[in-house]
Amino acid sequence: ETGVTQSPTHLIKTRGQQVTLRCSSQSGHNTVSWYQQALGQGPQFIFQYYREEENGRGNFPPRFSGLQFPNYSSELNVNALELDDSALYLCASNVGTSGYNEQFFGPGTRLTVL
Amino acid sequence: AQTVTQSQPEMSVQEAETVTLSCTYDTSESDYYLFWYKQPPSRQMILVIRQEAYKQQNATENRFSVNFQKAAKSFSLKISDSQLGDAAMYFCAYRRTNTGGFKTIFGAGTRLFVKA
């Protein structure tokens, strides 16, 4: 069974650019969530996708957007990058929408905005 | 709004000893879920233990147990017989039961050091 994978591992962008981060969910999982983890802080929920539809969003501006594909993999897109977007971006997958279900996290993508 | 507070930025424990990590939260909900996650230096976060708020019995997973005090809104994690592999960041997390999705509120974390 393959776990959650993310690509790329590291990424360096400049302010104002756009970035796309990718996540492959664990086999059989139809729900994907994205989190932003700034250095020294806990993860912050960005949004969740369930069966290709956004199914919950945190306090992030519209320049953070996402997609989920029929195979349940997902993308996180961030437009007009700002310095404060520098963080570790975590993807997590699980089955269904029950909040008690275990989420499985990927290793993350480290984004640096210069 | 819900908040999760971990008041211990760092903790240290001797191998084979017991350590308790503290967590408090604030919510007006009566039913919710609480979690402890471990994030080792390699960064991949894993679930350590979870608790349903309507269950009074404290959850236990091998060497890991919680002390859930609902009235006090406290959810501490006890690690018994600490091992070197327990060294990591530990995050306490809260999730509503009726939220649209997996919106999880994490604390700032506690870094646990294990001394040989």
Side-chain angles (χ1 to χ4, degrees):
Chain A
E1 184 178 82
T2 306
V4 180
T5 60
Q6 293 185 242
S7 63
T9 304
H10 295 89
L11 202 52
I12 299 175
K13 291 285 189 178
T14 57
R15 196 169 46 181
Q17 285 188 311
Q18 178 267 341
V19 68
T20 297
L21 310 182
R22 295 179 174 83
C23 170
S24 290
S25 58
Q26 188 160 315
S27 177
H29 289 185
N30 53 15
T31 303
V32 172
S33 303
W34 286 92
Y35 295 85
Q36 180 194 68
Q37 186 178 14
L39 198 61
Q41 297 182 22
Q44 282 196 295
F45 176 78
I46 302 175
F47 45 55
Q48 174 192 310
Y49 279 83
Y50 172 62
R51 292 185 176 179
E52 303 178 58
E53 297 285 332
E54 188 179 292
N55 184 35
R57 189 177 181 93
N59 296 325
F60 280 81
R63 60 189 185 85
F64 285 79
S65 63
L67 281 174
Q68 187 180 32
F69 300 100
N71 66 355
Y72 302 132
S73 65
S74 178
E75 285 183 355
L76 164 65
N77 299 291
V78 187
N79 294 322
L81 284 167
E82 301 177 358
L83 297 180
D84 284 349
D85 295 333
S86 294
L88 181 68
Y89 287 85
L90 298 171
C91 165
S93 75
N94 55 273
V95 177
T97 57
S98 168
Y100 194 66
N101 290 348
E102 182 174 356
Q103 281 188 305
F104 293 83
F105 284 81
T109 293
R110 172 73 65 188
L111 172 64
T112 302
V113 182
L114 303 176
Chain B
Q2 295 86 14
T3 58
V4 175
T5 302
Q6 294 179 249
S7 59
Q8 306 153 317
E10 294 182 353
M11 290 285 285
S12 182
V13 63
Q14 200 72 35
E15 197 175 8
E17 297 294 309
T18 295
V19 65
T20 298
L21 308 184
S22 300
C23 172
T24 58
Y25 59 93
D26 188 29
T27 182
S28 58
E29 305 285 332
S30 59
D31 200 13
Y32 45 87
Y33 306 119
L34 295 167
F35 305 83
W36 278 98
Y37 285 92
K38 172 185 178 181
Q39 189 175 40
S42 64
R43 301 178 306 179
Q44 200 140 3
M45 185 118 47
I46 57 173
L47 177 66
V48 174
I49 198 166
R50 53 186 162 175
Q51 174 85 37
E52 294 172 275
Y54 73 89
K55 289 187 176 178
Q56 293 185 337
Q57 186 173 6
N58 289 324
T60 300
E61 289 286 345
N62 301 314
R63 298 184 294 108
F64 299 88
S65 61
V66 297
N67 183 3
F68 173 47
Q69 301 290 328
K70 191 172 184 179
K73 296 179 182 175
S74 170
F75 184 62
S76 60
L77 174 69
K78 185 171 82 171
I79 305 174
S80 303
D81 186 25
S82 296
Q83 301 174 0
L84 294 177
D86 294 334
M89 281 292 289
Y90 285 82
F91 293 98
C92 178
Y94 166 99
R95 191 181 296 156
R96 293 170 61 188
T97 59
N98 61 349
T99 186
F102 271 69
K103 182 175 181 178
T104 309
I105 311 298
F106 285 85
T110 296
R111 183 171 297 282
L112 179 66
F113 296 94
V114 181
K115 295 182 284 189

